[in-house]
């Protein structure tokens, strides 16, 4: 079972998942469009799994890492990892969101945001774009995904491994991160970009302050 973003698989005619050195056709097991989450199922056994943390216990300033396959056309399809912090915890449209300053680009959507113990605390979903914006990404808190897992009878481990350094953490998490390829109905395979968030123009006084 794999978690990803709803907007990654929305309208897909075919989905393939590359993980553990093999490629599998995936089926959509559950969707939560409101929280931009989807649950995929592949016919494979013995794969690595990630523990699921508690996003309600995530603190502002906590170290996190984002895993994914950004900008494949330029950077290749090997896994990329970026480190940052939880730079904001806020509510948008009556839903809690995690803001992070880890590098988030098209191709990161659906990837795990993990804490220092290797537990997933969020699913990377979007970034802000604009001339006056830099390093602002968002993740869906993993506690929303727990409801999707529960509704489909999927159990997840919850215990991470505290005290890992960067390379050890990456080595532990990487085998459980999958590359999802999506074919639109009647179309060719396409990477699903992170949804760009519109940036409202700043007020005149704010513009002066930025200058």
């Amino acid at each position: 079972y794999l978690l990803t973003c709803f907007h990654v698989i929305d309208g897909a005619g075919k989905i393939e998942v590359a993980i553990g050195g093999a490629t599998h056709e995936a089926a959509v097991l559950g969707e939560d469009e409101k929280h931009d989450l989807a649950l995929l199922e592949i016919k494979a056994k013995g794969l690595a799994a990630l523990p699921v943390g508690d996003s309600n216990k995530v603190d502002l300033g906590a170290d996190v890492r984002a895993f994914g396959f950004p900008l494949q056309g330029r950077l290749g399809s090997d896994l990329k990892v970026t480190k940052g912090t939880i730079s904001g915890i806020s509510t948008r449209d009556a839903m809690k969101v995690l803001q992070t300053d880890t590098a988030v680009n098209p191709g990161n959507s659906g990837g795990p945001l993990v804490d220092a113990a290797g537990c997933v605390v969020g699913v990377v979903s979007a970034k802000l774009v604009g001339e006056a914006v830099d390093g602002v990404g968002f993740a869906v808190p993993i506690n929303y995904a727990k409801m999707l897992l529960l509704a489909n009878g999927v159990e997840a481990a919850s215990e991470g491994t505290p005290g890992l350094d960067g390379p050890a953490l990456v080595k532990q998490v990487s085998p459980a991160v999958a590359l999802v390829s999506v074919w639109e109905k009647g179309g060719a395979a396409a990477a699903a970009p992170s949804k760009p968030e519109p940036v409202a123009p700043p007020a005149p006084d704010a513009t002066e302050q930025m200058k």
Side-chain angles (χ1 to χ4, degrees):
Y1 303 101
L2 301 106
L3 282 168
T4 187
C5 287
F6 173 81
H7 78 262
V8 169
I9 55 87
D10 185 24
K14 179 183 177 182
I15 305 171
E16 285 188 347
V17 171
I19 187 172
T23 301
H24 310 271
E25 189 163 348
V28 178
L29 188 62
E31 297 177 348
D32 181 355
E33 184 176 0
K34 177 181 177 181
H35 297 110
D36 195 21
L37 292 169
L39 179 63
L40 306 180
E41 180 182 19
I42 60 174
K43 301 300 182 182
K45 295 182 178 180
L47 297 176
L50 292 178
V52 174
D54 184 352
S55 51
N56 288 336
K57 295 182 179 179
V58 174
D59 295 321
L60 195 64
D63 289 338
V64 289
R65 283 179 169 82
F67 289 72
F69 302 88
L71 303 172
Q72 292 180 57
R74 297 182 181 181
L75 303 179
S77 58
D78 54 313
L79 183 66
K80 306 297 189 301
V81 184
T82 57
K83 181 181 179 181
T85 61
I86 297 294
S87 53
I89 302 174
S90 57
T91 300
R92 299 168 62 204
D93 299 325
M95 292 184 292
K96 188 175 181 180
V97 295
L98 301 178
Q99 180 184 328
T100 174
D101 57 8
T102 54
V104 173
N105 289 291
N108 276 112
S109 289
L113 186 72
V114 306
D115 63 14
C119 292
V120 183
V121 295
V123 179
V124 177
S125 60
K127 66 179 293 185
L128 283 179
V129 294
E131 292 183 1
V133 180
D134 183 40
V136 182
F138 295 99
V140 181
I142 198 62
N143 284 14
Y144 288 128
K146 287 180 179 179
M147 295 185 285
L148 182 60
L149 295 175
L150 182 63
N152 289 278
V154 179
E155 297 183 2
S158 59
E159 295 296 325
T161 309
L164 295 174
D165 61 14
L169 178 63
V170 171
K171 186 176 181 180
Q172 177 172 293
V173 172
S174 295
V177 182
L179 172 60
V180 177
S181 298
V182 176
W183 281 258
E184 296 181 355
K185 293 179 180 178
S194 298
K195 293 187 298 185
E197 297 286 341
V199 181
D205 56 341
T207 302
E208 290 303 316
Q209 289 177 11
M210 283 192 291
K211 289 180 180 179

